[in-house]
Every structure is written in structure tokens, then in C-alpha cells.
Amino acid sequence: MAPATSQATSSAGTVASNLSSNLSTPLARNGYALIKGAIPAERIDALLDSLGRIKRSRRFRFRAQGTNSFEAPNLDGHGNLRNSIHNPHLLGALPGFQQKVEAIIFSEPLYRCLHDQAGEGVYVNWQTMLFDRSVGTRNHQDSWYLDTDPPGGVIGAWIALEDITMDCGPFKIYERTNRGRIDPGAYDFGDLENDRAFQCDHPEGRCVRLLPAKGDVILWDSLLVHGADMPASDVKTRKSLTAHFYRHGRAVQDQPIKRSFSIYDHRQPATSRHKKILKAATIHPLLYSGLCIGLSAIRSPELVGSGNALTEIRTVN
Ligand SMILES: O=C(O)CCC(=O)C(=O)O
């Protein structure tokens, strides 16, 4: 599989325009949008039901957000996953679960959100994540990890799988911070409210904690600073499915972590069940799941990224 490349262009050789050009949607104007009632409750219930059923399965092995390693489920006392799942849509050894994830990510309702906020066209899904309970996520720009070249063309989609309240550890954004790339070392991203330099450089950078209801979708662009609070208590969950997209034809930037093997092919993304959403992850889901099962037994440091602060933004407790 080809490593991630910085120069993917569409087959027509064209590079799509910037996310915000010619549009006057909340996403284009403000860098984020909250779309109410986008995803039907039945699809969410089916996904959560399936997740509940596989939690103790020996085939349930995945790459975990937070540690970047291949792991077995780490359940808390309430039966919720402490470790969140990277790329649940690739877990082919659990076909029922994988299909329920795909029925949301590669769906017409989600496509409508992208279409209405970012414009007509074909989108490529880069990666997906599933959070079963609240984890803290350090404030960041997605552009530090995955973005188009030039930056600002990746759209994050955060799908609420339950009603989110303040004590869940909500997703939060910093208004008007999407004017350009910010150096990860420029501010104290753990405490932006008290960082004088941040306040001075971004006087409009008010923190907004978003409280979507089940089925609502938050979209944001890859330059908007965002993160998530820790939950107020252990019993609070914050179930969500997240996916990142870019317009087919945009070049993508090089990855901060160099790997000799990539599951992504941005030059020739695969088709999905939705004709206007492609998949950058081209690895066969059964092979991906098999790798997760095998590698979870090894726990090699080679498989844990570079381990620097940039890659470790989730709090696992
Ligand atoms: O849900 C979260 O905790 C954070 C998600 C996020 O930051 C992202 O997808 O970029």
C-alpha cells in the first residue's frame, strides 16, 4: 500500500477550490456548524446495540485513540470502553458492527450535511473514530495531524450518539481561530483561557462548548482549534462517532508520523456504499481486523507512532 502522499489530485487533474470560497454557510463563515437531527435515531440505536454485543468478543481488537496501539477493549466498571476506537469502519471481523458504522458515515444524511455546508461534490472519508465514553481531548487544530495541501480543506464531522450535557465532557471549539495554521508550541493549548498570548492574538477566540442532541452533527474545518473536556464523573458517557472528510481532488499534506506501510491511498480512494463518498482507507476490512487481532498480541513500540506530545492528545484514564 502506498504511503500517504502530499500530491493527490483527481483523475481529471483538477484541484478543488478552498472549503470556504463562494459559500455563505455557517461552516464557511465561522469554521463550524451544528446541524440538528441529521442522523436517524434508528441507525444510532442499531450501532450502539451492536457495540454492546461485541464488547467481549475476542475478535474485537482495534487501534486505540489515545495510545495509538492495537488493543483489546478496556471496559470500565459500567461496561463502557475506556479506549476509543480508531477506524471502526474497517473492523471487518465484526461485520454487523462495521455495517452499522458505515450506515452512518457513508449515508445520505451525512452526505447532505457536507453538501449543504461545504458544497456539491464528491468527498473522501479519511478516517473515523468511535468514543463510547468521555475522554479528554487536548485542544488542537486537525491540521497538525491531517489536512489538505494547502491547509483548511479537511472537514471534521462529530455525530452525537446520545444527548450531550455539560457534565459529559463536551466537544468545544474556539471561535474564529480558523484563520491559518497555528504552531502547536505557540500557546498553552491545555489552558487557552489563561494564555495571555492566545488571548492577545485571538481576541475573538471565545470557547464554545457544544451540546448536541442525539443525531445532531457538528462540522468544523481543519484550522479551527477544538478539543473536549474531561467528564464530571465516571458515570457520564459521551458517545460519539467522528469522521474526517475532504473534497475528492484535493491534495493532502504529508503525515506527521512516517510509516513504512499505509492503509490509505489518497490517489485512488475506494468506493463506499454512497456514490459521493469515497474511502481513503483502501485496505480490506478483513485484513485490517486481522492485523489488529495479531498486532494486539505483540504490543511492539514500533506500532505506537512516535510517542511525542503531538500524537498523544487523548486522556486515557
Ligand atoms: O471527540 C473528541 O474528543 C475529539 C474529536 C476531535 O478532536 C477530532 O476528531 O479531531
Side-chain angles (χ1 to χ4, degrees):
M1 199 70 51
T5 168
S6 64
Q7 286 304 318
T9 51
S10 71
S11 49
T14 53
V15 175
S17 60
N18 273 337
L19 177 61
S20 54
S21 63
N22 307 323
L23 285 170
S24 178
T25 61
L27 178 66
R29 278 198 314 275
N30 306 325
Y32 73 101
L34 173 63
I35 299 114
K36 301 293 293 173
I39 307 296
E42 308 79 65
R43 292 195 201 192
I44 295 175
D45 293 341
L47 171 62
L48 293 180
D49 186 51
S50 175
L51 177 64
R53 274 186 278 119
I54 61 166
K55 275 183 181 165
R56 287 177 177 79
S57 162
R58 277 188 291 164
R59 284 179 287 139
F60 190 27
R61 298 288 182 272
F62 51 86
R63 184 159 217 158
Q65 292 287 145
T67 59
N68 273 326
S69 55
F70 295 89
E71 297 179 5
N74 177 354
L75 299 180
D76 68 14
H78 306 278
N80 294 309
L81 285 174
R82 288 195 185 89
N83 42 1
S84 31
I85 310 167
H86 186 62
N87 282 334
H89 72 292
L90 292 179
L91 296 183
L94 302 157
F97 173 70
Q98 186 208 358
Q99 279 160 20
K100 307 291 183 305
V101 174
E102 292 204 328
I104 294 177
I105 301 294
F106 305 115
S107 70
E108 182 60 17
L110 195 56
Y111 179 73
R112 279 285 125 210
C113 295
L114 294 167
H115 171 279
D116 294 353
Q117 291 295 323
E120 173 76 52
V122 176
Y123 289 86
V124 181
N125 167 245
W126 192 325
Q127 60 168 29
T128 61
M129 297 185 273
L130 193 148
F131 294 83
D132 191 31
R133 61 168 240 176
S134 323
V135 295
T137 298
R138 189 168 175 267
N139 294 322
H140 63 281
Q141 289 182 312
D142 285 341
S143 195
W144 299 351
Y145 310 100
L146 68 177
D147 207 351
T148 52
D149 181 11
V154 163
I155 305 167
W158 199 100
I159 300 151
L161 302 181
E162 63 181 344
D163 293 346
I164 304 299
T165 55
M166 266 315 195
D167 47 8
C168 292
F171 183 84
K172 59 186 178 184
I173 61 94
Y174 289 81
E175 289 189 313
R176 303 194 197 292
T177 46
N178 59 325
R179 302 290 179 244
R181 265 192 82 135
I182 303 174
D183 189 289
Y187 309 116
D188 178 1
F189 280 90
D191 190 15
L192 286 177
E193 282 81 350
N194 291 307
D195 187 299
R196 288 215 177 169
F198 175 77
Q199 298 296 335
C200 182
D201 296 346
H202 298 276
E204 297 176 306
R206 189 173 64 100
C207 178
V208 180
R209 291 179 168 80
L210 295 161
L211 302 178
K214 178 175 172 176
D216 293 353
V217 173
I218 301 164
L219 297 182
W220 71 95
D221 80 44
S222 40
L223 293 173
L224 193 76
V225 175
H226 64 282
D229 289 337
M230 287 297 287
S233 92
D234 243 20
V235 294
K236 289 291 166 190
T237 56
R238 194 208 58 188
K239 298 183 191 297
S240 60
L241 188 59
T242 304
H244 292 84
F245 300 90
Y246 59 89
R247 266 177 180 277
H248 184 39
R250 296 289 304 260
V252 302
Q253 70 184 20
D254 285 333
Q255 291 297 276
I257 305 172
K258 303 276 175 282
R259 297 188 200 283
S260 49
F261 167 82
S262 175
I263 62 170
Y264 303 107
D265 186 346
H266 296 279
R267 286 177 192 275
Q268 284 189 300
T271 53
S272 80
R273 60 167 66 196
H274 192 286
K275 67 179 189 309
K276 292 197 169 175
I277 307 179
L278 303 176
K279 297 191 250 194
T282 52
I283 188 169
H284 193 286
L286 271 176
L287 176 59
Y288 181 80
S289 248
L291 285 172
C292 290
I293 293 167
L295 295 175
S296 67
I298 299 176
R299 295 192 65 85
S300 158
E302 298 291 306
L303 304 166
V304 190
S306 69
N308 64 24
L310 191 61
T311 64
E312 302 305 331
I313 58 170
R314 322 273 167 204
T315 308
V316 183
N317 59 359

